[in-house]
């Protein structure tokens, strides 16, 4: 990996500012899903084991630059303590005296960085002050790396810095899937609309060998080929753009895989009567809600011939059974090949994690990113300021 990690740093006796993402769901002051907290445990434990003092910087919600009591990080302390197995000292307003007087084995949490308007403005004054609190900066919040804020980018530029364990895992997965992948590479782009994924499609055409287009988006591509898609979700105003994408794919030598058969129903409702028809035979009063079994076979065969898979977006309206069938079947195929060491599979962004978790196949993927927006921006080929600010090894 190109970036410095904790392994490249001497942290003994050092105060380490660690930017984390602990923006966890909470109800009545209690954490309801601690996944994000669990994912930063290796970084915190490794820093402690190396003799460093972790000082956590994080945002919570969108307080828009002023203190909002309901968005305080203080209620997270019990969940952090139980995840780390250590006491956590909460500091509302850090002062040099308090920070410099900390015992070496302390773990510190500083109040919501977004309580200051200087955070999102990436104000040098805030970055400068933060940098005086520690000796080293460690960024473990890939999911916040697409924003240039004082605690993600500004402070990194002022201090020796490195990627934390979660950032490291995320960056190596994305590098192996898109920057330096083993070929052939197949991408799945699914989901509702072409209009939200134009940059994604444009970037992938140049990088991957096969591009599977699924979900509601695929309907727009079918319509672009003159196919009547009945009552299906379809952006008719985007058919020209879809045609351009199909043309560009030819020049880029990227095979586009569209549904050859589809599951249609009269309404988008659980248990709605449904049938499989060829992709060009959707009845006028029906809507396409999933890819059909022949399409899944084609996708599975493409996976068999590929070395790397990158996946964003479901193949159908997965929230309502049975329209999760194609997404589940393709995910299970990818999982089996990954488990057998034949495929590197990386997935993430938006609803993708929920769609793949539903299939029960997610654990066997090589890497599932929970980063959302940052993962998508990486797939779009954009530079993430929080990553760009990190030192290369
Ligand atoms: P996105 O957030 O763009 O990844 O889109 C995910 C959404 O697309 C999910 O809510 C799916 O239910 C929806 N979706 C996928 N396929 C279809 C389809 N054929 N018709 C309607 N909605 C779909």
């Amino acid at each position: 990996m190109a970036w410095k990690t904790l392994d490249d740093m001497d942290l003994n006796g050092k105060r380490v500012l660690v930017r984390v993402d602990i923006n966890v769901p909470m109800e009545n002051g209690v954490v309801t899903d601690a996944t994000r907290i669990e994912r930063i445990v290796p970084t915190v434990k490794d820093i402690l084991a190396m003799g460093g003092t972790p000082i956590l910087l994080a945002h919570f919600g969108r307080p828009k630059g002023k203190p909002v009591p309901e968005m305080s990080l203080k209620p997270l302390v019990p969940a952090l303590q139980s995840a780390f197995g250590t006491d956590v000292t909460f500091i509302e307003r850090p002062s040099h005296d308090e920070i410099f007087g900390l015992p070496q084995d302390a773990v510190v949490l500083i109040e919501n960085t977004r309580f200051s308007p200087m955070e999102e403005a990436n104000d040098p004054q805030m970055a400068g002050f933060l940098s005086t609190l520690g000796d080293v900066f460690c960024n473990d919040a890939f999911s916040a790396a697409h924003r240039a804020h004082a605690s993600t980018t500004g402070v990194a530029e002022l201090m020796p810095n490195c990627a934390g364990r979660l950032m490291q895992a995320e960056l190596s997965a994305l590098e192996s899937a898109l920057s330096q992948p083993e070929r052939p590479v197949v991408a799945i782009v699914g989901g509702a609309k072409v209009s939200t994924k134009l940059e994604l499609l444009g970037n992938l055409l140049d990088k991957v060998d096969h591009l599977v287009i699924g979900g509601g988006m695929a309907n727009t591509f079918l319509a672009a080929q003159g196919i009547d898609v009945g009552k299906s979700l379809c952006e008719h105003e985007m058919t020209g753009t879809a045609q351009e994408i199909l043309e560009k794919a030819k020049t880029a030598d990227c095979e586009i895989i569209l549904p050859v058969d589809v599951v249609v129903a009269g309404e988008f409702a659980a248990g709605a009567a449904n049938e499989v028809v060829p992709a060009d035979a959707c009845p006028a009063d029906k809507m396409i809600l999933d890819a059909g079994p022949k399409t899944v076979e084609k996708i599975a065969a493409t996976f068999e011939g590929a070395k790397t898979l990158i996946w964003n977006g479901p193949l159908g309206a997965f929230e309502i059974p049975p329209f999760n069938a194609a997404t589940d079947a393709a995910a299970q195929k990818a999982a089996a090949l990954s488990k057998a060491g034949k495929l590197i599979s990386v997935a993430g962004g938006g609803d993708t994690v929920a769609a793949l978790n539903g299939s029960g196949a997610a654990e066997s993927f090589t890497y599932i990113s929970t980063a959302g927006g940052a993962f998508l921006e990486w797939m779009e080929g954009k530079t993430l300021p929080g990553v760009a600010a990190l030192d290369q090894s």
Side-chain angles (χ1 to χ4, degrees):
M1 203 181 71
W3 294 272
K4 281 193 176 169
T5 70
L6 291 171
D7 302 318
D8 298 305
M9 314 305 277
D10 172 12
L11 301 183
N12 196 16
K14 305 275 171 64
R15 283 183 303 275
V16 186
L17 298 178
V18 194
R19 180 57 160 97
V20 291
D21 179 1
I22 46 175
N23 204 359
V24 288
M26 295 195 64
E27 256 170 51
N28 303 323
V30 178
V31 176
T32 53
D33 177 357
T35 309
R36 284 187 158 156
I37 291 178
E38 281 150 22
R39 295 190 118 197
I40 61 160
V41 171
T43 298
V44 171
K45 288 204 165 157
D46 283 0
I47 292 170
L48 287 169
M50 291 165 85
T53 308
I55 301 174
L56 308 184
L57 304 172
H59 71 278
F60 192 75
R62 296 203 168 123
K64 304 218 168 106
K66 52 182 189 328
V68 176
E70 305 80 72
M71 293 180 198
S72 170
L73 286 173
K74 196 172 181 188
L76 264 60
V77 167
L80 292 171
Q81 292 189 148
S82 94
F84 304 154
T86 58
D87 280 346
V88 170
T89 307
F90 177 75
I91 299 184
E92 195 179 331
R93 283 179 160 267
S95 70
H96 289 126
D97 282 350
E98 196 170 6
I99 294 284
F100 296 167
L102 289 165
Q104 187 169 327
D105 61 355
V107 178
V108 180
L109 173 66
I110 290 181
E111 182 59 290
N112 195 338
T113 51
R114 290 190 188 167
F115 279 4
S116 164
M118 292 193 275
E119 163 73 327
E120 290 180 75
N122 192 10
D123 191 310
Q125 204 185 321
M126 177 163 173
F129 174 70
L130 289 175
S131 74
T132 62
L133 300 178
D135 306 295
V136 172
F137 175 70
C138 168
N139 193 341
D140 211 24
F142 178 83
S143 50
H146 55 319
R147 306 278 179 252
H149 292 168
S151 73
T152 60
T153 305
V155 69
E157 283 160 358
L158 301 173
M159 302 177 78
N161 65 64
C162 68
R165 295 301 182 209
L166 178 55
M167 172 74 91
Q168 184 182 345
E170 195 88 40
L171 291 173
S172 20
L174 285 164
E175 281 209 310
S176 65
L178 265 188
S179 312
Q180 292 153 347
E182 271 193 66
R183 293 195 173 273
V185 186
V186 52
I188 293 192
V189 180
K193 292 183 171 176
V194 178
S195 52
T196 59
K197 303 217 170 155
L198 276 180
E199 287 180 90
L200 191 61
L201 292 168
N203 185 43
L204 291 178
L205 286 182
D206 291 327
K207 301 231 163 96
V208 307
D209 305 289
H210 313 276
L211 176 57
V212 176
I213 298 179
M217 289 179 51
N219 302 338
T220 305
F221 281 83
L222 295 175
Q225 295 175 320
I227 293 171
D228 184 355
V229 293
K231 289 200 305 172
S232 304
L233 174 68
C234 177
E235 292 173 284
H236 290 283
E237 69 287 1
M238 295 297 292
T239 50
T241 308
Q243 270 162 355
E244 280 169 31
I245 290 172
L246 294 171
E247 283 306 314
K248 272 194 203 141
K250 279 188 203 149
T251 328
D253 210 10
C254 168
E255 182 200 18
I256 301 266
I257 300 174
L258 286 170
V260 289
D261 60 348
V262 290
V263 182
V264 298
E267 53 177 342
F268 185 17
N274 60 84
E275 60 177 326
V276 176
V277 297
D280 59 358
C282 175
D285 60 344
K286 300 244 164 106
M287 59 180 81
I288 299 171
L289 288 173
D290 199 10
K294 287 209 177 85
T295 307
V296 172
E297 265 173 43
K298 202 169 166 188
I299 294 172
T302 310
F303 287 178
E304 296 254 3
K307 289 265 176 15
T308 305
L309 163 69
I310 180 151
W311 186 333
N312 169 260
L315 291 172
F318 73 97
E319 297 95 335
I320 298 195
F323 309 114
N324 56 322
T327 303
D328 283 11
Q332 276 148 11
K333 180 71 187 179
L337 289 169
S338 308
K339 218 170 173 181
K342 293 181 180 158
L343 185 72
I344 294 165
S345 52
V346 176
D351 278 343
T352 313
V353 181
L356 297 183
N357 279 339
S359 74
E363 305 84 70
S364 301
F365 270 60
T366 312
Y367 193 76
I368 303 258
S369 169
T370 47
F375 182 87
L376 279 177
E377 289 198 20
W378 184 288
M379 270 184 95
E380 287 167 356
K382 291 186 183 149
T383 300
L384 309 186
V387 175
L390 291 179
D391 292 341
Q392 306 261 329
S393 55

